[in-house]
Amino acid sequence: MDKIWYLPPPTEDVHGDFGPYSVKELKAARKDLIKFVHESNGAVFQRVKAKCGILADGRRKISGLDMGNVPVDLEGAVSADDLNGSGSDVGGDVRTQGVKRKAEIPGSTQTNKKQAVDKKIIAYTCDLCDFTTEIYDEVDKHLQQKNHFSASMCHSSKENSVLKPKTLLKPLVVTNRSARFNNVIPTCPKCFAVYENINICNLHYQNTHEDNSDIYALSTVEETLWPKISNNNQCLKCGKNFAKTKSLHDHWRSAKHFPLREPKSNEIRIMICPHCERLFYDFFSCKEHIRHVHVDEIGSHAYSMKVLFLEKPTTSCHLLPSSPATTKNLVNKEIKMLTEMRKAAKKTPNSKHTVKAIRENIKLYKHYRKNC
């Protein structure tokens, strides 16, 4: 069997003479390429990386046969024998952060340190439950089956044959967009504001409530409603028509013909636009948003919105510890996404309030980024 080697992650260094091309520009291009390969975690891209032998921590797995076809520099490489302490490659991808082992000296503290490093495992953990696995396809399948929104990459260790997440490597590496605001939803434990993912929820908690704790909460969806609303000021419960929208709203209140019930004391009620997935806490704001922003989609017919009743959380959860760089990357990603949303909203008629709300969110994240 060909010997298996694990090459260290690629660097940004560029060596040699490349004629008219600037070494600085080549380094920048190489940096972007390495970043693209490392951060692309779609199902198709994961299969491509698996076939190329690219591991989750940036190293590359290569055999003696591959080295016969491709020139490979073995400087800094680690063989499977060195990692496993035997003469064979055992069990596919090696996820340990090992270095070449020297002869072990009984009682040596250096040996104990290396054994501790070898136990580090790169894994995927669901952000909304305790599910953790080393296999990308398994966590992707879990998100689909449990209707959970996201999973993160982390360093883990095995305790009694069970993977336990230890530190965060990269948030939101796997997402299930169909589960957004659907089943289990991150919630602020103090003001019960609702957010798409646990990281942004914690950023809100730290910035708004001036508390640097790494906590967030999770709310379970108790009930989902899709109330029908007429687009011509008609009460769909009794059939009465009204000349003004305000008259219809007054009738709903006085006749108790409101299209949906009030939340209980232990519930949170949120409204979601079915066209752009924007979240609202006020029914009338969501109703007017759909009527004016999505007028082409609804026409003159009755329309509906998604209404969720969530159970108020009673306990808090803690984020995995992470470096400041990881947090900044997450904030930058959110700022970029909000900027794109603002550009798209500007092209939509009657979107002044939407653009203003997005601008305020961008300002909030930029302020937080300065303090990271």
Side-chain angles (χ1 to χ4, degrees), residues 127 186-191 193 195 197-218 313-321 368:
D127 293 333
T187 308
C188 175
K190 212 164 211 179
C191 66
Y195 289 88
N197 64 72
I198 60 174
N199 303 284
I200 301 303
C201 183
N202 178 250
L203 289 182
H204 152 82
Y205 180 83
Q206 292 188 16
N207 192 69
T208 304
H209 302 297
E210 298 180 352
D211 187 337
N212 292 326
S213 302
D214 59 350
I215 66 171
Y216 63 96
L218 296 174
T314 55
T315 58
S316 300
C317 309
H318 289 267
L319 291 175
L320 288 173
Y368 184 85

Side-chain angles (χ1 to χ4, degrees), residues 57-186:
D57 58 2
R59 295 177 301 155
R60 186 179 173 194
K61 178 182 175 183
I62 193 166
S63 69
L65 181 62
D66 294 328
M67 284 187 276
N69 300 322
V70 181
V72 174
D73 181 8
L74 289 180
E75 183 180 354
V78 182
S79 71
D81 296 350
D82 296 318
L83 286 172
N84 299 323
S86 65
S88 61
D89 176 34
V90 288
D93 290 354
V94 176
R95 305 216 177 233
T96 55
Q97 305 287 329
V99 293
K100 285 192 176 181
R101 293 181 182 172
K102 297 178 182 178
E104 295 184 1
I105 303 171
S108 168
T109 55
Q110 186 178 10
T111 300
N112 293 336
K113 285 181 181 179
K114 287 185 178 180
Q115 286 176 347
V117 172
D118 287 346
K119 289 181 181 178
K120 270 190 178 179
I121 301 169
I122 292 179
Y124 302 94
T125 182
C126 178
D127 293 333
L128 304 181
C129 69
D130 296 330
F131 181 82
T132 305
T133 178
E134 295 178 65
I135 303 171
Y136 177 91
D137 287 342
E138 283 188 4
V139 75
D140 188 38
K141 184 179 179 181
H142 166 82
L143 296 184
Q144 300 294 332
Q145 289 180 342
K146 297 295 183 180
N147 213 11
H148 288 173
F149 176 68
S150 64
S152 301
M153 184 185 290
C154 62
H155 266 144
S156 302
S157 63
K158 280 195 175 180
E159 299 175 8
N160 298 324
S161 301
V162 178
L163 277 174
K164 296 290 184 182
K166 296 298 180 183
T167 55
L168 178 68
L169 288 178
K170 186 181 176 186
L172 306 174
V173 294
V174 194
T175 55
N176 174 19
R177 296 299 299 178
S178 62
R180 183 177 181 265
F181 301 131
N182 206 351
N183 187 9
V184 181
I185 303 176

